[in-house]
Amino acid sequence: MASKLRALWARLVGSRSDDASDASAAAATEYKGYRIRPTPYPANGQYQTAGIIEKDGATGVKEHRFIRAETHPTKDGAAAFAIAKGKQIIDELGDRIFDTD
């Protein structure tokens, strides 16, 4: 009970839980000149599919963040699925993911 209250308090005041900091520190996977970094986070007792696609460019690192509706019972499962989704996004859109128009 106390841990649930601490987690709720942390979310309310904006601090990150251990799960969130672990997710943001996940190792990047190189794919076709891009880096895919899974960033799953806890959501309703599951882990939400999320990630960041990065690419080095002339003006610096370009970044595209994505979140998908799929949830998974484990953080590792959500991370693996985020990598697969990131590859699919790259294959379908390429550098257009960085367009802001």
Side-chain angles (χ1 to χ4, degrees):
M1 179 68 171
S3 64
K4 287 184 181 183
L5 290 174
R6 273 194 301 270
L8 176 62
W9 178 253
R11 281 191 303 242
L12 290 174
V13 296
S15 61
R16 297 173 66 137
S17 69
D18 289 339
D19 284 339
S21 61
D22 286 347
S24 66
T29 298
E30 297 286 333
Y31 182 72
K32 294 185 176 181
Y34 298 84
R35 286 181 302 279
I36 305 167
R37 190 163 23 109
T39 58
Y41 59 90
N44 299 322
Q46 299 267 328
Y47 287 90
Q48 191 76 43
T49 299
I52 301 170
I53 299 171
E54 300 173 334
K55 185 175 183 182
D56 296 325
T59 59
V61 177
K62 296 180 180 182
E63 184 178 275
H64 172 77
R65 295 176 179 267
F66 64 92
I67 299 173
R68 295 296 183 259
E70 298 87 3
T71 58
H72 307 269
T74 66
K75 184 167 36 173
D76 289 341
F81 193 75
I83 291 169
K85 273 296 184 186
K87 288 178 179 181
Q88 180 183 9
I89 292 168
I90 292 165
D91 289 342
E92 291 178 2
L93 299 174
D95 282 348
R96 289 181 291 161
I97 61 174
F98 304 119
D99 290 346
T100 57
D101 296 349

